[in-house]
Amino acid sequence: MANEIIVGIGGAAGDGGASTGDNLAQTSARQGLHVYVYTSYQSLIRGGHSWIRLRISDTKVTNIGDQVSAMIALNQDSMDRHLQEMKAGAICIYNGDKVKPGKAPEGVQLCPLPVFELAGKDALPIMQNTVALGALVGLLGYDFQALSSVFEHTFKKKPQVVEANVTAAKAGFDFAVKTYKKHGTVLKKTDAKLAMVHGNNILAMGAANAGCKVYCAYPMSPATGILHWMASHGKDLGICVRQVEDEIGVANMAIGAGQMGVRSMCATSGGGFALMTEAIGMAGIMETPVVMINVMRGGPSTGLPTKQEQGDLNQAIGASQGDFPRIIIAPTSIADCYTVMEESFNLAEKYQCPVLVLSDLLMSEGHCTLEASFLDREFKIDRGELILEDDGDKNYYRYKDTPSGISPRVIPGVPNHLYVSATDEHDEDGVTISDVYTDPITRKKMVDKRARKMEGVVKDYTPLKLEGDASSNTVVVTYGSTWGAASEAVERLNKEGVKVAHLSFKYLVPFQEKEAIALLKGKKVIVVEMNKAGQFARHLRAEAGITADANVRKYDGEPFEPKHIVEGIKEVLKGKNLVEVQSLEPGWRTPHPPGPGVLSTGSTH
Amino acid sequence: MASKLQTPLTVAAYKSDVHNDWCPGCGDFGILQAVQQSFAELGLPPWESMVFAGIGCSGKVFNYMATHGVHTLHGRVLPFAVGAKLANPNLEIVAVGGDGDGYGIGAGHFVHAGRRNVDMAYIVMTNEVYGLTKGQASPTLGRGQQTKSLPLPNTNDAIQPLALALSSGYTWIGRSYAFDGKHLKEMIKKAMQHKGMALLDVLQPCPTFNDLHTTEWFNKKVKGAGENEMVPRVFNINEQGYNGSVQDPTNLDEVNTKRTKAFEMANFRGERIPVGVFYEIKLPTYDERMQAQVPMLKQYAPATMPYQDASHLPTTDLSKVYEEYMF
Ligand SMILES: Cc1ncc(C[n+]2csc(CCOP(=O)(O)OP(=O)(O)O)c2C)c(N)n1
Ligand code: SF4
Ligand SMILES: [Mg+2]
């Protein structure tokens, strides 16, 4: 049986909540405990409210979970927002000198700390966080050593800082253990050697591993973490990292580098992706490999810069004018971000086309523990059909019409293999046909040639697989990151005796049409996704002719928790065919509604 | 396409056999020929040379060159070419495009390309119109001017590309005229040989849409300073004692003086049109700046940097990086 505790840390931006969360995550990871972190924050540098949720468990976790059962309120606002969400058994830690809790829900243990007394009058305000963290660690039953060693690691070069933190944390730890009841859940230490990573780190690392040598970007949340990683690691890994004037420049520069044979990449979010779209078609018609990441956030327009949504699928499918082959992949978890990067660079070069990766805020800015072994994957670099040296061919045609549609690619610089590439339609030699009177034969041949390339792609995918109760007649279908919460929801339902399977898609274009039909035809299909319009449900219908029997959707900015999906599916099984769920906890809302709220506005269409 | 390798490299080696569809009398012919001559005289192997073009009549240059070529998007030739040069600094790269392409839709890239000082030449064909889309006003057409292709006079002021280039950090700035073959060729060669980002703005008659500034107009003599003195409209400033080349880039006095003079010259408006080298300074190129930051780039261009072994397993060592995330 898994034991887990979800901790919430609330404060204003600039209060140091983030580092308190990091320290707790690291302390947990050091004990072999698995952690999944998601932060709800505002798009500002100081003030506002941020709520860091850490799900800590002695077995692997795939998502943020649902019920917070331990909280640290770093200010009054956090207390007011979140205390009423707590249920019996929860603990609530706060600076008793400054924060007034009001009436706690039944069975919630209030743990005020006399911070002035514990930290000393002259202590920096930030020390209240350390005292609180010490207290929490004590009430979670951790060894104090696990926490103090994190301070030693973090402030390696500053022994006085280590000492100040250890002293303050120990004061909180001892006071709490002496004064309050420990949390009822006991987390069992494990031997797992764990690291804490953001999805953005993993996307960047995956790209580096796959051989990415040019990375271009313009800052945009929630993709900026990739730029920061690249900027600080490019030097040692030999990656050229460029911040460009805008996303139009970014895309064109990345493709320019791709044209010269570099594995190149760029990343952005929806708005920046919109600016890149003309260039995506250019990579399509010039058959230039490039990997482009869109870390989705709430749209449209500037939308919700710091909130989760899976709403850019239509945009990715429709990016750029005309028909041309593209590949679209949506990683399903933080660990999968690594695999997807490997696959994307290989596919881009093998099929000489743009590969669009749809990550999202939940994965990219969320972070979780991973075992180091996930890096030891079987992965071979496949650059596709490349000509790197003069092979004596006196009649090289860059866009040769071949049975597979793939034309062997020369990297400029090879003697006797000159070619031109054009954004205009061109013939096999690359010479434009855009200005001739008309050339229907060549036009059709070239369109067909490019389209034919996509026929091979699906064979390179990992086949689809049903999860959960595979024999069930009801299948929950998700794409991308919703896999995490949905797989847990399905597991819970199966445990409750509700027969339901789960099918998760990560390869969106070209689509695994035949497999999807084989697995879904004749079943009750429930599509669960994070957008209003049902973009994936529509995609499934368009690509496989399968119409969802019911849909569970969320588009309020906060990610799915397993409970939302469990409840949503139950509503569906009662007869609803559209359930739009919402996070209703007081903390998510301004102004706070009276009393606790949980979930679910169900409606029928 | 197979290259027509000839030694020594003659102009013919750089001519493709693609049919040319520019209008008769178009200034682009002069520019194309000068580009081909420059490549030949510099002895650049066609497979190590690349011409990147924007979209417009001007953009068709790449089609008529027997080098590697890329016809990029309208306005995006610079970021594309910069990406390519970044990936493989060993290739000789020339970017070409129209004045609408470079100073209009691509203006943002134009400015920022200057700041990077990428080692490439950028040739802009300035005909004051959007030729390919049938003669609308381009950003270099003056206010109140009305070409035959415009139903009403232009309401916007013209930008001064050379002044803009100067403000943006271009390290070689010059102007020439499409039908002064000799000067043009020398200027193209200088722009290509300059180590850094060079802007060569070329005055280009568009006989089809621009009836204000025609070949005849450019060739006409205008009143000089002396009584009854007639002088050529297009005059070479470097032949008249103007020297915009900074000798010592660390000498701020010299830099400031030359920049000020160049700015004045770049903004000059009158009956006469100055051509020649307006400004030149030697500063670290983009490659050099990148190499200073990423030492591995001294050994390998990004395009040749190894990342796999003989059995195609990745060789990028991430174990140290991963340790940053271990506690
Ligand atoms: C994004 C985009 N907008 C508009 C066009 C249409 N278009 C093609 S060429 C051109 C203008 C070309 O003018 P210029 O760059 O001055 O080149 P010229 O033809 O004068 O040589 C335009 C507007 C396009 N191809 N792409
Ligand atoms: S329209 Fe003008 S610029 Fe275009 S080819 Fe004709 S003359 Fe040249
Ligand atoms: Mg023009």
Side-chain angles (χ1 to χ4, degrees):
Chain A
M1 233 327 256
N3 301 297
E4 68 165 46
I5 295 173
I6 301 178
V7 176
I9 300 173
D15 269 358
S19 50
T20 308
D22 285 348
N23 288 335
L24 176 60
Q26 293 171 20
T27 306
S28 307
R30 280 191 169 222
Q31 313 202 81
L33 296 169
H34 299 262
V35 188
Y36 198 107
V37 187
Y38 179 77
T39 304
S40 293
Y41 65 103
Q42 288 168 248
S43 192
L44 42 70
I45 307 299
R46 295 201 79 79
H49 177 59
S50 85
W51 182 233
I52 305 157
R53 281 173 53 163
L54 300 96
R55 185 182 190 186
I56 308 171
S57 168
D58 46 23
T59 57
K60 272 190 194 158
V61 280
T62 61
N63 64 82
I64 61 170
D66 12 66
Q67 183 59 50
V68 174
S69 72
M71 69 177 268
I72 294 178
L74 294 175
N75 59 12
Q76 188 66 45
D77 178 49
S78 303
M79 179 65 92
D80 297 344
R81 283 170 185 269
H82 297 289
L83 180 63
Q84 298 311 319
E85 290 165 20
M86 300 301 121
K87 293 239 167 89
I91 56 176
C92 172
I93 295 170
Y94 56 99
N95 183 346
D97 300 334
K98 281 191 356 205
V99 176
K100 299 286 162 267
K103 189 168 157 28
E106 181 85 19
V108 172
Q109 184 185 197
L110 291 175
C111 312
L113 305 173
V115 170
F116 278 139
E117 190 189 314
L118 295 173
K121 278 207 188 44
D122 303 330
L124 294 168
I126 198 84
M127 280 302 157
Q128 74 154 358
N129 300 13
T130 312
V131 173
L133 182 58
L136 177 67
V137 160
L139 297 182
L140 294 184
Y142 288 10
D143 296 336
F144 182 72
Q145 213 283 335
L147 175 60
S148 60
S149 65
V150 167
F151 290 131
E152 281 154 24
H153 177 88
T154 311
F155 304 111
K156 256 190 272 320
K157 289 182 193 118
K158 299 178 193 153
Q160 319 90 291
V161 181
V162 173
E163 205 198 300
N165 276 283
V166 170
T167 311
K170 187 79 170 76
F173 185 95
D174 291 340
F175 176 82
V177 170
K178 196 172 69 210
T179 319
Y180 302 115
K181 267 207 333 273
K182 282 199 176 150
H183 197 284
T185 305
V186 181
L187 300 167
K188 285 202 284 294
K189 285 193 220 174
T190 79
D191 296 331
K193 285 225 30 97
L194 299 170
M196 277 296 299
V197 287
H198 283 91
N200 275 339
N201 299 151
I202 295 298
L203 285 168
M205 278 174 67
N209 183 47
C212 173
K213 291 296 170 202
V214 170
Y215 178 74
C216 306
Y218 183 87
M220 185 166 188
S221 297
T224 310
I226 305 174
L227 174 62
H228 288 175
W229 190 97
M230 287 288 185
S232 49
H233 295 91
K235 179 170 179 276
D236 294 333
L237 299 174
I239 303 172
C240 241
V241 183
R242 293 292 78 198
Q243 185 182 317
V244 188
E245 56 270 14
D246 56 35
E247 287 88 349
I248 300 177
V250 164
N252 282 275
M253 206 175 279
I255 296 166
Q259 179 80 6
M260 310 306 277
V262 174
R263 290 196 152 192
S264 75
M265 177 169 97
C266 54
T268 182
S269 190
F273 189 76
L275 293 181
M276 293 182 175
T277 51
E278 191 190 15
I280 296 171
M282 169 170 74
I285 196 166
M286 295 200 331
E287 306 195 43
T288 307
V290 66
V291 176
M292 300 172 139
I293 301 174
N294 175 357
V295 181
M296 297 183 280
R297 68 190 207 187
S301 197
T302 308
L304 291 170
T306 63
K307 300 292 167 214
Q308 162 70 358
E309 199 160 280
Q310 295 183 295
D312 295 356
L313 175 58
N314 285 351
Q315 188 196 21
I317 294 172
S320 217
Q321 67 274 24
D323 272 338
F324 62 92
R326 74 189 77 194
I327 295 171
I328 305 178
I329 309 181
T332 55
S333 68
I334 290 179
D336 192 39
C337 286
Y338 199 74
T339 323
V340 163
M341 282 294 104
E342 295 174 342
E343 292 178 300
S344 297
F345 279 97
N346 277 358
L347 291 170
E349 285 208 301
K350 197 165 164 194
Y351 297 97
Q352 301 178 20
C353 69
V355 174
L356 313 178
V357 175
L358 285 181
S359 179
D360 55 35
L361 183 136
L362 172 64
M363 275 187 295
S364 280
E365 294 207 333
H367 44 168
C368 73
T369 42
L370 287 179
E371 273 153 4
S373 59
F374 99 100
L375 287 174
D376 312 329
R377 295 173 18 79
E378 274 284 304
F379 164 58
K380 282 203 168 181
I381 286 166
D382 182 354
R383 300 206 57 193
E385 296 182 48
L386 267 190
I387 299 171
L388 295 167
E389 275 163 34
D390 186 2
D391 55 5
D393 182 359
K394 290 274 180 264
N395 274 308
Y396 172 69
Y397 283 157
R398 167 66 185 94
Y399 299 106
K400 195 170 168 167
D401 187 21
T402 60
S404 66
I406 298 169
S407 321
R409 187 163 62 108
V410 154
I411 307 300
V414 177
N416 292 315
H417 289 69
L418 288 178
Y419 63 90
V420 288
S421 294
T423 53
D424 293 53
E425 185 61 283
H426 41 260
D427 63 15
E428 290 179 73
D429 198 10
V431 175
T432 58
I433 63 159
S434 41
D435 297 331
V436 299
Y437 155 60
T438 180
D439 191 348
I441 304 281
T442 305
R443 164 64 172 176
K444 180 165 187 307
K445 181 164 79 176
M446 297 310 287
V447 171
D448 287 346
K449 175 202 111 63
R450 290 191 293 266
R452 210 180 310 129
K453 293 193 291 186
M454 290 298 101
E455 289 168 12
V457 177
V458 171
K459 288 201 283 296
D460 288 345
Y461 291 164
T462 313
L464 289 176
K465 197 170 149 261
L466 284 172
E467 296 172 68
D469 182 352
S471 68
S472 164
N473 225 22
T474 304
V475 186
V476 172
V477 175
T478 58
Y479 93 89
S481 69
T482 302
W483 170 78
S487 62
E488 183 167 332
V490 166
E491 205 180 298
R492 284 192 203 170
L493 286 163
N494 287 169
K495 273 198 192 121
E496 288 178 25
V498 182
K499 287 174 75 68
V500 43
H502 179 199
L503 188 60
S504 154
F505 286 88
K506 87 179 211 193
Y507 307 105
L508 305 178
V509 174
F511 200 68
Q512 288 151 299
E513 172 198 341
K514 293 204 181 83
E515 290 173 63
I517 293 172
L519 293 170
L520 296 177
K521 195 106 211 160
K523 308 236 174 109
K524 184 177 176 73
V525 172
I526 309 170
V527 174
V528 179
E529 61 185 308
M530 272 221 59
N531 59 69
K532 167 77 179 170
Q535 296 184 10
F536 185 77
R538 177 195 171 114
H539 189 54
L540 183 65
R541 191 161 73 240
E543 293 290 329
I546 289 167
T547 304
D549 296 283
N551 291 278
V552 177
R553 294 176 190 157
K554 193 169 193 289
Y555 44 88
D556 58 358
E558 294 303 330
F560 270 122
E561 299 171 14
K563 72 174 181 217
H564 296 131
I565 300 177
V566 167
E567 296 297 319
I569 291 170
K570 285 182 176 168
E571 292 291 305
V572 166
L573 296 177
K574 280 188 221 150
K576 294 235 168 83
N577 57 14
L578 175 67
V579 184
E580 295 175 336
V581 300
Q582 190 174 0
S583 295
L584 284 177
E585 288 84 348
W588 300 131
R589 299 193 32 167
T590 317
H592 309 164
V598 187
L599 149 100
S600 191
T601 52
S603 60
T604 319
H605 64 187
Chain B
M1 133 176 72
S3 82
K4 304 184 258 173
L5 181 57
Q6 300 168 353
T7 31
L9 288 161
T10 63
V11 175
Y14 298 92
K15 288 188 175 163
S16 79
D17 38 26
V18 173
H19 169 74
N20 191 312
D21 54 13
W22 283 324
C23 311
C26 175
D28 290 349
F29 284 107
I31 299 169
L32 172 65
Q33 192 181 358
V35 170
Q36 288 162 337
Q37 286 170 346
S38 304
F39 272 80
E41 290 184 17
L42 294 174
L44 299 167
W47 57 87
E48 289 177 11
S49 314
M50 291 198 74
V51 176
F52 293 85
I55 301 286
C57 298
S58 43
K60 296 183 183 183
V61 162
F62 86 100
N63 250 335
Y64 312 136
M65 294 284 301
T67 60
H68 275 293
V70 182
H71 203 199
T72 67
L73 292 168
H74 188 34
R76 315 302 167 204
V77 62
L78 285 180
F80 194 106
V82 169
K85 183 76 181 178
L86 196 64
N88 190 350
N90 304 322
L91 296 185
E92 183 64 37
I93 282 180
V94 174
V96 299
D99 51 351
D101 196 83
Y103 308 146
I105 189 168
H109 307 309
F110 178 76
V111 167
H112 292 277
R115 297 170 52 218
R116 299 190 179 100
N117 200 30
V118 179
D119 182 16
M120 69 162 84
Y122 179 35
I123 302 170
V124 179
M125 307 180 181
T126 293
N127 57 9
E128 302 175 313
V129 291
Y130 290 135
L132 194 65
T133 47
K134 301 209 179 331
Q136 301 83 359
S138 90
T140 54
L141 186 68
R143 178 159 50 92
Q145 301 203 311
Q146 184 177 13
T147 60
K148 66 178 171 186
S149 52
L150 294 178
L152 292 169
N154 185 19
T155 51
N156 298 347
D157 275 306
I159 62 156
Q160 298 295 336
L162 303 193
L164 183 59
L166 194 63
S167 316
S168 308
Y170 283 73
T171 52
W172 188 98
I173 298 167
R175 184 190 281 142
S176 188
Y177 168 52
F179 287 128
D180 181 352
K182 220 171 119 223
H183 183 251
L184 180 57
K185 184 188 73 186
E186 289 313 316
M187 291 290 280
I188 293 173
K189 277 163 56 184
K190 279 187 189 151
M192 287 173 69
Q193 284 175 312
H194 170 71
K195 282 237 139 292
M197 186 80 197
L199 169 71
L200 177 59
D201 182 75
V202 185
L203 306 166
Q204 176 237 320
C206 164
T208 305
F209 295 116
N210 188 341
D211 54 337
L212 299 177
H213 304 134
T214 59
T215 306
E216 297 68 49
W217 183 84
F218 282 112
N219 289 342
K220 216 167 143 185
K221 295 219 161 152
V222 296
K223 251 174 74 65
E227 208 179 330
N228 295 335
E229 189 198 5
M230 294 302 278
V231 290
R233 184 189 300 280
V234 177
F235 71 104
N236 185 339
I237 50 176
N238 305 129
E239 281 172 0
Q240 306 202 350
Y242 177 92
N243 179 356
S245 300
V246 174
Q247 299 306 308
D248 177 7
T250 61
N251 179 346
L252 263 189
D253 278 345
E254 188 198 355
V255 173
N256 286 339
T257 312
K258 294 245 161 88
R259 278 182 77 87
T260 310
K261 267 174 59 191
F263 197 69
E264 202 178 309
M265 192 59 92
N267 276 308
F268 176 82
R269 285 171 199 236
E271 274 294 288
R272 304 194 73 191
I273 304 176
V275 297
V277 180
F278 284 60
Y279 185 70
E280 183 181 13
I281 186 168
K282 211 173 156 358
L283 293 178
T285 63
Y286 204 43
D287 314 336
E288 288 161 356
R289 296 175 196 184
M290 287 304 296
Q291 286 175 13
Q293 288 196 348
V294 182
M296 276 162 90
L297 292 174
K298 288 194 189 119
Q299 205 181 343
Y300 300 106
T304 55
M305 188 145 348
Y307 51 83
Q308 56 173 330
D309 63 15
S311 46
H312 304 293
L313 297 170
T315 52
T316 307
D317 183 10
L318 290 167
S319 54
K320 267 232 301 290
V321 176
Y322 196 68
E323 261 165 37
E324 289 171 30
Y325 306 105
M326 303 278 294
F327 309 103

Coordinates of all heavy atoms in Angstrom, one line a residue, chain B residues 21-29 56-58 60 127 129-132 134-135 204-210, ligand 2:
Chain B
D21 N 13.4 35.6 -65.6 CA 12.1 36.3 -66.0 C 12.0 37.7 -65.5 O 10.9 38.2 -65.3 CB 10.9 35.4 -65.7 CG 10.9 35.1 -64.2 OD1 11.7 35.6 -63.4 OD2 10.1 34.2 -63.8
W22 N 13.1 38.4 -65.2 CA 13.0 39.8 -64.9 C 12.6 40.6 -66.1 O 12.9 40.2 -67.2 CB 14.4 40.3 -64.4 CG 14.7 39.9 -63.0 CD1 13.9 39.7 -61.9 CD2 16.0 39.5 -62.4 NE1 14.5 39.4 -60.8 CE2 15.9 39.2 -61.1 CE3 17.3 39.5 -63.0 CZ2 16.9 38.9 -60.3 CZ3 18.4 39.1 -62.2 CH2 18.2 38.8 -60.8
C23 N 12.0 41.8 -65.9 CA 11.7 42.6 -67.0 C 12.9 43.2 -67.7 O 13.9 43.4 -67.0 CB 10.9 43.9 -66.5 SG 9.5 43.5 -65.4
P24 N 12.8 43.4 -69.0 CA 14.0 44.0 -69.7 C 14.4 45.3 -69.0 O 13.5 46.1 -68.6 CB 13.5 44.2 -71.1 CG 12.3 43.3 -71.2 CD 11.7 43.2 -69.9
G25 N 15.6 45.6 -68.8 CA 16.1 46.8 -68.3 C 16.1 46.9 -66.8 O 16.4 47.9 -66.2
C26 N 15.7 45.8 -66.1 CA 15.6 45.8 -64.7 C 17.0 45.8 -64.1 O 18.0 45.2 -64.6 CB 14.9 44.5 -64.2 SG 15.0 44.3 -62.4
G27 N 17.2 46.6 -63.0 CA 18.5 46.8 -62.4 C 19.0 45.5 -61.8 O 20.2 45.3 -61.6
D28 N 18.1 44.6 -61.5 CA 18.5 43.3 -60.9 C 19.5 42.6 -61.8 O 20.4 41.8 -61.3 CB 17.3 42.4 -60.6 CG 16.4 43.0 -59.5 OD1 16.9 43.9 -58.8 OD2 15.3 42.4 -59.3
F29 N 19.4 42.8 -63.1 CA 20.4 42.1 -64.0 C 21.8 42.5 -63.7 O 22.7 41.7 -63.6 CB 20.1 42.4 -65.5 CG 18.9 41.7 -66.0 CD1 17.7 42.3 -66.3 CD2 19.0 40.3 -66.4 CE1 16.6 41.7 -66.8 CE2 18.0 39.7 -66.9 CZ 16.7 40.3 -67.1
G56 N 10.6 38.3 -53.5 CA 10.4 39.6 -54.3 C 11.1 39.3 -55.7 O 11.7 38.2 -55.9
C57 N 11.0 40.3 -56.6 CA 11.8 40.1 -57.8 C 13.2 39.8 -57.5 O 13.9 39.0 -58.0 CB 11.7 41.3 -58.7 SG 10.0 41.7 -59.2
S58 N 13.7 40.6 -56.6 CA 15.1 40.6 -56.1 C 15.4 39.2 -55.6 O 16.6 38.7 -55.8 CB 15.3 41.6 -54.9 OG 14.1 41.5 -54.1
K60 N 14.7 36.4 -56.6 CA 15.0 35.4 -57.6 C 16.5 35.2 -57.9 O 16.8 34.2 -58.7 CB 14.2 35.7 -58.9 CG 12.7 35.7 -58.7 CD 12.0 35.9 -60.0 CE 10.5 36.0 -59.7 NZ 9.7 36.2 -60.9
N127 N 14.6 49.6 -54.9 CA 13.9 50.1 -56.1 C 12.7 51.0 -55.7 O 11.9 51.4 -56.6 CB 13.5 49.0 -57.1 CG 12.6 48.0 -56.4 OD1 12.2 48.2 -55.2 ND2 12.3 46.8 -57.0
V129 N 10.0 50.3 -54.6 CA 8.6 49.7 -54.8 C 8.7 48.2 -54.4 O 9.8 47.6 -54.2 CB 8.1 49.8 -56.2 CG1 7.8 51.2 -56.7 CG2 9.2 49.1 -57.2
Y130 N 7.5 47.7 -54.2 CA 7.3 46.2 -54.1 C 7.1 45.7 -55.5 O 6.0 45.8 -56.0 CB 6.1 45.9 -53.2 CG 6.2 46.2 -51.8 CD1 5.2 46.8 -51.1 CD2 7.4 45.8 -51.1 CE1 5.3 47.1 -49.7 CE2 7.5 46.1 -49.7 CZ 6.5 46.7 -49.0 OH 6.6 47.0 -47.7
G131 N 8.2 45.4 -56.1 CA 8.2 45.0 -57.5 C 7.3 43.8 -57.8 O 6.3 43.9 -58.6
L132 N 7.5 42.7 -57.1 CA 6.8 41.5 -57.4 C 5.3 41.6 -57.2 O 4.5 40.9 -57.9 CB 7.4 40.3 -56.6 CG 7.0 38.9 -57.0 CD1 7.6 38.6 -58.4 CD2 7.5 37.9 -56.1
K134 N 3.6 44.3 -57.8 CA 3.1 45.2 -58.8 C 3.1 46.7 -58.3 O 2.2 47.5 -58.6 CB 1.7 44.9 -59.3 CG 1.6 43.5 -59.9 CD 0.6 43.4 -61.0 CE 0.5 42.1 -61.7 NZ 1.7 41.3 -61.9
G135 N 4.2 47.0 -57.6 CA 4.6 48.4 -57.6 C 4.0 49.3 -56.4 O 4.0 50.5 -56.5
Q204 N 18.4 50.5 -57.5 CA 18.1 49.6 -58.5 C 16.9 50.1 -59.3 O 15.8 50.1 -58.8 CB 17.7 48.2 -57.9 CG 17.3 47.2 -58.9 CD 15.9 46.6 -58.5 OE1 15.6 46.4 -57.4 NE2 15.0 46.4 -59.5
P205 N 17.1 50.5 -60.5 CA 15.9 50.9 -61.3 C 14.9 49.8 -61.6 O 15.4 48.7 -61.8 CB 16.6 51.4 -62.7 CG 18.0 51.6 -62.4 CD 18.3 50.6 -61.3
C206 N 13.7 50.1 -61.4 CA 12.6 49.2 -61.8 C 11.8 49.8 -62.9 O 10.9 50.6 -62.6 CB 11.7 48.9 -60.6 SG 10.1 48.1 -61.0
P207 N 12.2 49.6 -64.1 CA 11.6 50.3 -65.2 C 10.1 50.1 -65.3 O 9.3 50.9 -65.8 CB 12.3 49.8 -66.5 CG 13.0 48.5 -66.0 CD 13.2 48.7 -64.6
T208 N 9.6 49.0 -64.8 CA 8.2 48.6 -64.9 C 7.3 49.5 -64.0 O 6.2 49.9 -64.4 CB 8.0 47.1 -64.7 OG1 8.8 46.4 -65.6 CG2 6.6 46.7 -64.9
F209 N 7.7 49.7 -62.8 CA 6.8 50.4 -61.8 C 7.4 51.7 -61.3 O 6.6 52.6 -60.9 CB 6.5 49.5 -60.6 CG 5.8 48.3 -61.0 CD1 6.3 47.0 -60.8 CD2 4.5 48.4 -61.6 CE1 5.6 45.9 -61.2 CE2 3.8 47.2 -61.9 CZ 4.4 46.0 -61.8
N210 N 8.7 51.9 -61.4 CA 9.2 53.2 -60.8 C 9.6 54.1 -62.0 O 10.7 54.0 -62.5 CB 10.4 52.9 -59.9 CG 10.8 54.1 -59.1 OD1 10.5 55.2 -59.6 ND2 11.5 53.9 -58.0
Ligands
SF4_2 S1 9.0 44.6 -61.7 FE1 10.7 45.9 -61.5 S2 12.0 45.0 -60.0 FE2 10.6 43.4 -60.8 S3 11.7 42.5 -62.5 FE3 10.4 44.0 -63.3 S4 11.7 45.8 -63.4 FE4 12.7 44.4 -62.1

